[in-house]
Amino acid sequence: MLGPMNLPPPLDPARHALFIDFDGTLVELVDRPEDVRISPEAVQRLGVLQRQCAGAFALLSGRRIADLDRFLSPLAFAAGGIHGLERREEPGGPIVPLAGPAGLDPIRLVLSVGVTEEPRLRLEDKGTSLVVHYRGHPELEGAAVELVQRSVADEPGFAVMKGDNIVEVHLGGMDKGKALSAFMTREPFVGRVPVYLGDDTTDEFGFAAVKALNGVSIKVGNGPSEADYRLSCVDSVHRWLGSEPGLGADGMKEAS
């Protein structure tokens, strides 16, 4: 596992393919996911990086791609949403769902009843995944986990993932790592070195995929990770993305 000050090397747009998580990486985590904000200057900088990488740039998020579009407008970008359960392979292209919402209907019913009984829990319905939030109520972590596990019961084919103050369930067979690997087989990503930045346990799938491709894996924030490098916070991410060649995350010259 990485050390606490293992800063990443500078981004090289000529040879890197850039993959970025959204919440906790490009924007701060907030109690209400719909309240996040990203500055127009940061969005503009992402557009510059996208052009510098010749289009080898994608967002990989647990959010729906439509939500990412709203926050990052007017930027158009490739994306994997809901941990890869929906995908847009090129900017302006169609959003392709890889699973429908109907398969979650029995689980949706159990979770709806559960959050009614415990109103401090909140259910987010993404269509192809269901998320139980307990942010602001850490004492309810066990109740959230138990509710989701009970909703799934012994049903095969579902994946349950824990994240930052959430428990999520969706149809199995997809994660951010698989989405990243799929992008890397297509132009303009193919032949480049993948770089992935993420902050949560769900991003560990992306780190594993990047390491298998001899890429650059960057954990944002504290906590154990299999990533090779670390940035301390969202501000550090934006400084690193905007750094000059030869500068590290905090503007210090990299050792050569």
Side-chain angles (χ1 to χ4, degrees), residues 20 36-37 44 49 57-58 61 74 80 103 108-110 118 125 137 141 146 160 162 191 196 200 207 216 232 240 252:
I20 314 178
V36 301
R37 293 290 181 270
Q44 184 179 32
L49 286 172
F57 170 95
S61 175
R108 185 176 282 109
L109 178 61
V110 175
E118 176 46 87
D125 191 335
H137 301 283
E141 177 181 0
E146 189 277 332
V160 175
K162 286 188 62 180
Y196 183 56
D200 206 350
F207 298 149
V216 180
S232 62
W240 183 78
M252 300 295 290

Side-chain angles (χ1 to χ4, degrees), residues 19-30 33-39 42-43 46 57-65 67-73 75 77 79-81 176 196-200 202-203 220 234 237-238:
F19 298 90
I20 314 178
D21 174 44
F22 186 68
D23 293 281
T25 301
L26 286 177
V27 296
E28 300 287 355
L29 296 169
V30 296
E34 60 270 27
D35 290 341
V36 301
R37 293 290 181 270
I38 183 168
S39 72
V43 174
L46 292 176
F57 170 95
L59 271 290
L60 297 180
S61 175
R63 288 188 188 256
R64 295 175 299 177
I65 294 175
D67 293 332
L68 297 175
D69 285 341
R70 187 173 74 254
F71 291 119
L72 294 170
S73 177
L75 183 66
F77 50 92
K176 291 181 179 180
Y196 183 56
L197 297 89
D199 74 302
D200 206 350
T202 60
D203 295 303
V220 180
V234 170
V237 170
H238 287 287

Side-chain angles (χ1 to χ4, degrees), residues 9-13 45 52 239-248 251-254:
L11 183 67
D12 183 356
R45 176 58 186 161
Q52 291 176 334
R239 287 198 300 272
W240 183 78
L241 290 173
S243 65
E244 296 294 330
L247 297 184
M252 300 295 290
K253 280 285 184 180
E254 296 286 331

Side-chain angles (χ1 to χ4, degrees), residues 86-121:
E86 59 179 27
R87 195 174 304 159
R88 181 167 62 206
E89 295 185 339
E90 59 186 13
I95 298 172
V96 179
L98 303 185
L104 287 168
D105 281 348
I107 294 172
R108 185 176 282 109
L109 178 61
V110 175
L111 293 182
S112 297
V113 172
V115 298
T116 300
E117 295 173 345
E118 176 46 87
R120 292 176 296 174
L121 296 175

